[in-house]
Amino acid sequence: MRLTTKGRFAVTAMLDLALRQAGGPVTLAGISERQHISLSYLEQLFGKLRRRELVDSVRGPGGGYCLARPASEITVAAIICAVDEPLDATQCGGKENCLDDKRCMTHDLWASLNRTIYDYLSGITLARLVEEQHEKQRRKTECVLIDQRHKELTGAAPTL
Amino acid sequence: MRLTTKGRFAVTAMLDLALRQAGGPVTLAGISERQHISLSYLEQLFGKLRRRELVDSVRGPGGGYCLARPASEITVAAIICAVDEPLDATQCGGKENCLDDKRCMTHDLWASLNRTIYDYLSGITLARLVEEQHEKQRRKTECVLIDQRHKELTGAAPTL
DNA sequence: TTTTAGTTGACTAAAACAGTAGGTTATTGA
DNA sequence: TCAATAACCTACTGTTTTAGTCAACTAAAA
């Protein structure tokens, strides 16, 4: 499993989508604006995400993309694998033809590393990321409320 | 932390070095031949490894490279970080200037992912890889001996 | 039928990857 | 002292990936 910025873009975009899909299909133009990812690049990424059936598309006005499955069934690993297509892992592609009297030391190392990363990312769903995001939002709101209350008590006019 | 084949080359080369350094400095030419990595590419990689003080060099005939520290104190993470220089992690480089009213969702995700991978690779030392390699060798030798013994018992001439 | 928005393909600049070429310096040992 | 060895260094090459642009097209809604 390769780890580059491409995967991060895809995850960021999917998270944005997950956070907003309650209000119907989400347009790439919107994601592009909010997350500062070029529209055309998003088009490429979502082409792959659609082919891997992680998202569904709706054309025409009011259209956009929705998650093809519940957010709880979409993992970060799946997203990264979808866009980072050649998940080259051990050079010899799992086969042990990297031999030459030594049979490719580090083969086991990379296979194992790959597994660890994949397992970790397979355990993280979009649903969980959404929840964390909401949690963060909640904490922020709380601070604002406490701040307002404090100002009321100390006689200052509450800020709009 | 980025994960590409470059890091794998470096780890493979360092493992080769660790396995042979008992017999004095190891030449890049030797590593190049055994591991099928181009000599000039190795020179680039070892330039970085030397600057990060993971290896020491000895010039002149009989020279080569040695580990700068005991193999038990050199981790795979250190090797990868040494050659994959820009260990760009969260785009915003750890700072939270990726804000824009949302403060870069996925920031936490990537920081956390990065940590997981780094921690995993920090737990793997060259010494452990060397040990695993020896273990593998031992098993292979065992098989050969058993095979010879079997042939002796069944009357076949032992193979040279 | 015009607007919206996805779909596709070709193309591009810049960076990273992997390797090449050609030189220099330091050390050894003949 | 001189030749061989091997590290060291710089610049250059070709390929792939990254990130993005552009233009044409299709489906659906208003």
Side-chain angles (χ1 to χ4, degrees), chain A residues 132-148:
Chain A
E132 277 171 20
Q133 208 60 29
H134 283 153
E135 178 61 33
K136 206 178 288 176
Q137 207 59 37
R138 201 150 46 231
R139 272 200 299 273
K140 200 186 273 179
T141 310
E142 230 166 67
C143 288
V144 172
L145 290 176
I146 288 171
D147 194 46
Q148 283 184 357

Side-chain angles (χ1 to χ4, degrees), chain A residues 102-108, chain B residues 12 15-16 19 35 133:
Chain A
K102 305 218 94 190
R103 189 166 306 196
C104 178
M105 321 164 317
T106 67
H107 183 113
D108 295 341
Chain B
T12 305
L15 183 49
D16 183 287
L19 281 165
Q35 306 301 332
Q133 208 60 29

Side-chain angles (χ1 to χ4, degrees), chain A residues 66-128:
Chain A
C66 331
L67 299 182
R69 288 179 264 158
S72 58
E73 288 171 25
I74 298 180
T75 71
V76 171
I79 296 171
I80 293 181
C81 288
V83 299
D84 247 356
E85 306 207 35
L87 28 143
D88 119 308
T90 33
Q91 192 98 28
C92 45
K95 304 275 175 193
E96 272 150 43
N97 54 352
C98 44
L99 46 141
D100 187 70
D101 96 304
K102 305 218 94 190
R103 189 166 306 196
C104 178
M105 321 164 317
T106 67
H107 183 113
D108 295 341
L109 169 66
W110 292 109
S112 157
L113 165 62
N114 233 43
R115 241 216 118 55
T116 300
I117 296 173
Y118 188 85
D119 286 351
Y120 177 66
L121 292 180
S122 289
I124 304 177
T125 65
L126 268 187
R128 192 170 127 197

Side-chain angles (χ1 to χ4, degrees), chain A residues 55-71:
Chain A
V55 295
D56 280 334
S57 60
V58 180
R59 298 174 105 168
Y65 285 93
C66 331
L67 299 182
R69 288 179 264 158

Side-chain angles (χ1 to χ4, degrees), chain A residues 2 4-6 9 38 40-41 44 59-61 84:
Chain A
R2 191 125 41 96
T4 67
T5 52
K6 194 172 186 176
F9 277 133
S38 99
S40 306
Y41 199 37
Q44 286 176 40
R59 298 174 105 168
D84 247 356

